């Protein structure tokens, strides 16, 4: 990142997404995910949505995601499956478990002697996206590093327009079913499989799309 403050060199961010609590995969697995995450000793944990598919599993949140720890906090936005389940209950359960919501807003967070601007975009499912009109200038103009949490990589044009340095997204599951040499052939995105998973540099933004932790139907092939 061209405009990364020296104080942030080595900042450790763990990006989690698409846990899809359905009950098909037991709670113990997601507790293990939290333990593995904490073992990385992150500075910041970002969760980009699609947490719960089964309302009966909302009660899993304190004993799974509520166990996450990071020096600069654990943050989240919600996704389309959370809306379909009960996003008000999921949101409240996450807050009650100590996680910090970013949907539709931005905040400044101190980190290692510098400052990071964190923002959330849950579009198109939960409007609005964060309103940055009162935010400090972008990093290229001497302001803080800008990190966006968004459930869908389709919000990349919005991130670029608002000059985010890093955007974190999920939703696509890496295509979920991949073929040798060809890779994924289908992803729920306006641009197909272009941003199915991986790291992409679309100046001024670096986009990271995770394959996610699970799925409503937890079947993966070469993914």
């Amino acid at each position: 990142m061209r405009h990364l403050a020296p104080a942030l060199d080595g900042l450790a961010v763990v990006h989690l997404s698409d846990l899809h609590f359905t009950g098909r995969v037991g709670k113990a697995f997601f507790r293990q995910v939290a333990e593995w995450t904490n073992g990385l000793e992150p500075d910041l944990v970002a969760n980009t949505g699609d947490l719960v598919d089964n309302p009966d599993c909302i009660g899993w949140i304190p004993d799974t995601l509520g166990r996450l720890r990071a020096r600069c906090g654990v943050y989240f936005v919600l996704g389309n499956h959370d809306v379909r389940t009960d996003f008000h209950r999921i949101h409240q359960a996450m807050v009650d478990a100590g996680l910090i919501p970013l949907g539709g807003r931005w905040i400044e967070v101190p980190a290692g002697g510098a400052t990071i601007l964190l923002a959330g975009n849950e579009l198109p499912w939960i409007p609005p996206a964060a309103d940055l009109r009162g935010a400090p200038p972008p990093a290229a103009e001497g302001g803080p590093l800008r990190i966006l949490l968004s459930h869908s990589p389709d919000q990349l044009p919005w991130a670029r327009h608002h000059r985010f340095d890093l955007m974190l997204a999920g939703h696509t599951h890496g295509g979920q079913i991949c073929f040798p040499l060809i890779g994924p052939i289908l992803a729920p995105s306006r641009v197909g499989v272009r941003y199915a998973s991986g790291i992409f540099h679309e100046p001024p933004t670096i986009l990271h799309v995770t394959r996610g932790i699970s799925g409503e139907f937890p079947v993966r092939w070469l993914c």
Side-chain angles (χ1 to χ4, degrees), residues 152-157 172 185-196 200 202 207 209:
S152 171
D154 286 350
Q155 298 304 315
L156 177 60
T172 56
I185 60 171
L186 185 66
S189 168
R190 291 197 301 260
V191 294
V193 298
R194 179 176 178 180
Y195 301 122
F200 308 90
E202 300 283 0
L207 167 66
V209 184

Side-chain angles (χ1 to χ4, degrees), residues 8-24:
L8 296 177
D9 187 14
L11 183 82
V13 179
V14 175
H15 178 199
L16 304 174
S17 194
D18 295 85
L19 284 88
H20 289 280
F21 292 173
T22 64
R24 294 185 179 95

Side-chain angles (χ1 to χ4, degrees), residues 161-213:
H161 175 74
H162 291 284
R163 301 171 72 181
F164 277 88
D165 302 283
L166 176 64
M167 173 179 169
L168 305 174
H171 185 57
T172 56
H173 295 200
Q176 199 152 338
I177 304 297
C178 299
F179 293 89
L181 302 180
I182 298 173
I185 60 171
L186 185 66
S189 168
R190 291 197 301 260
V191 294
V193 298
R194 179 176 178 180
Y195 301 122
S197 68
I199 298 173
F200 308 90
H201 189 203
E202 300 283 0
T205 304
I206 293 175
L207 167 66
H208 178 261
V209 184
T210 174
R211 297 183 182 100
I213 300 296

Side-chain angles (χ1 to χ4, degrees), residues 1 3-5 8 11 13 44 46 72 75 102 104-111 114-121 129-140 142-149 158-159 162-168:
M1 293 184 184
H3 306 291
L4 186 71
L8 296 177
L11 183 82
V13 179
L44 187 150
C72 301
Y75 302 87
L102 289 177
R105 71 188 191 114
W106 61 269
I107 60 174
E108 291 185 84
V109 177
T115 301
I116 299 172
L117 185 148
L118 297 174
N121 180 330
D131 183 347
L132 293 162
R133 285 176 291 184
L145 185 78
R146 291 186 172 191
I147 300 178
L148 176 67
L149 276 62
W158 188 93
H162 291 284
R163 301 171 72 181
F164 277 88
D165 302 283
L166 176 64
M167 173 179 169
L168 305 174

Side-chain angles (χ1 to χ4, degrees), residues 28-188:
F29 170 74
F30 299 104
R31 287 185 60 177
Q32 183 67 65
V33 168
E35 290 177 15
W36 285 330
T37 300
N38 291 340
L40 296 171
E41 299 183 354
D43 295 298
L44 187 150
V45 174
N47 194 318
T48 52
D50 273 6
L51 307 176
V52 182
D53 284 280
N54 181 346
D56 293 340
C57 296
I58 294 175
W60 290 10
I61 288 173
D63 200 31
T64 54
L65 297 174
R67 291 175 173 263
L68 293 169
R69 298 291 181 267
R71 298 179 185 91
C72 301
V74 181
Y75 302 87
F76 74 95
V77 294
L78 299 180
N80 55 304
H81 282 246
D82 302 310
V83 172
R84 191 173 69 186
T85 305
D86 188 335
F87 80 92
H88 292 293
R89 282 184 60 202
I90 296 168
H91 180 278
Q92 192 59 52
M94 293 285 281
V95 171
D96 290 346
L99 290 89
I100 302 166
L102 289 177
R105 71 188 191 114
W106 61 269
I107 60 174
E108 291 185 84
V109 177
T115 301
I116 299 172
L117 185 148
L118 297 174
N121 180 330
E122 297 169 320
L123 296 175
W125 302 285
I126 310 173
D131 183 347
L132 293 162
R133 285 176 291 184
E141 299 176 6
L145 185 78
R146 291 186 172 191
I147 300 178
L148 176 67
L149 276 62
S150 174
H151 181 58
S152 171
D154 286 350
Q155 298 304 315
L156 177 60
W158 188 93
R160 296 179 67 196
H161 175 74
H162 291 284
R163 301 171 72 181
F164 277 88
D165 302 283
L166 176 64
M167 173 179 169
L168 305 174
H171 185 57
T172 56
H173 295 200
Q176 199 152 338
I177 304 297
C178 299
F179 293 89
L181 302 180
I182 298 173
I185 60 171
L186 185 66

